[in-house]
Amino acid sequence: MMESNQWRSNPGLTNLSVDELRLYESMNREDKMLVEIQAQTRSIRNIQSNVQFFFWITIIGIVSQIVIYVYLTK
């Protein structure tokens, strides 16, 4: 049978210093959840920024290819 300490929540905060890790471990459950939700929100915003960047790079690439094609076929 599995011990209950194996089911502990592993924070999504990977780059914690020793002091930050101690502070995290001393937090209550609600504060830990808040910190993890904030970390996930930051990750989602970073993903959204990356998707937006690649979207615009793709649009600019397609438009530039169309413009180059139009001017080279004249």
Side-chain angles (χ1 to χ4, degrees), residues 5-60:
N5 63 359
Q6 288 179 324
W7 294 102
R8 265 198 223 159
S9 171
N10 188 8
L13 312 168
T14 56
N15 297 327
L16 293 179
S17 68
V18 175
D19 293 332
E20 291 171 331
L21 187 58
R22 286 185 191 139
L23 176 64
Y24 180 82
E25 290 299 326
S26 69
M27 290 179 180
N28 62 20
R29 182 178 176 192
E30 289 80 16
D31 290 338
K32 285 181 180 180
M33 288 175 59
L34 178 62
V35 168
E36 291 182 22
I37 290 170
Q38 288 171 341
Q40 290 173 357
T41 302
R42 278 192 299 275
S43 294
I44 289 169
R45 286 188 181 144
N46 286 339
I47 291 169
Q48 287 174 341
S49 295
N50 290 342
V51 169
Q52 187 178 24
F53 170 77
F54 285 109
F55 171 78
W56 285 113
I57 289 294
T58 303
I59 296 300
I60 290 170

